[in-house]
């Protein structure tokens, strides 16, 4: 529900935040969207891009380990 009901309004900012720098946006279907991260477990992450115009949240990556690219 976090990703579908409030993808850009974190209830717990330590687990859900917009990515920064070059990771802060992503091209999805020809549109540049904000890219966010949700920490599911201490290592598991979901990267997603909310699309407010289409009212869709695109899941663009998910993994069970902390992504090294964000370090």
């Amino acid at each position: 529900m976090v990703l579908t009901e409030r993808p850009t309004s974190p209830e717990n900012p330590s687990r859900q935040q917009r990515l920064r720098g070059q990771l802060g946006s992503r091209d999805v279907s020809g549109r540049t969207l904000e890219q966010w991260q949700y920490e599911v477990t201490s290592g598991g992450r979901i990267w997603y891009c909310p699309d407010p115009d289409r009212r869709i949240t695109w899941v663009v990556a998910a993994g069970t380990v902390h992504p090294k690219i964000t370090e």
Side-chain angles (χ1 to χ4, degrees):
M1 290 182 45
V2 170
L3 301 183
T4 57
E5 291 184 5
R6 52 183 189 283
T8 60
S9 300
E11 186 174 286
N12 185 347
S14 65
R15 286 189 140 337
Q16 180 182 3
Q17 62 269 338
R18 183 170 179 200
L19 293 172
R20 297 183 191 141
Q22 291 181 324
L23 299 175
S25 62
R26 179 183 284 248
D27 182 58
V28 178
S29 297
R31 301 180 62 219
T32 302
L33 301 173
E34 293 181 350
Q35 182 164 247
W36 287 68
Q37 173 176 268
Y38 182 72
E39 180 181 343
V40 181
T41 64
S42 61
R45 303 289 194 276
I46 297 172
W47 286 11
Y48 64 96
C49 297
D51 187 338
D53 294 338
R54 294 181 183 162
R55 300 183 69 195
I56 295 172
T57 299
W58 300 97
V59 174
V60 295
T64 58
V65 296
H66 187 281
K68 299 293 182 197
I69 195 168
T70 60
E71 293 180 350

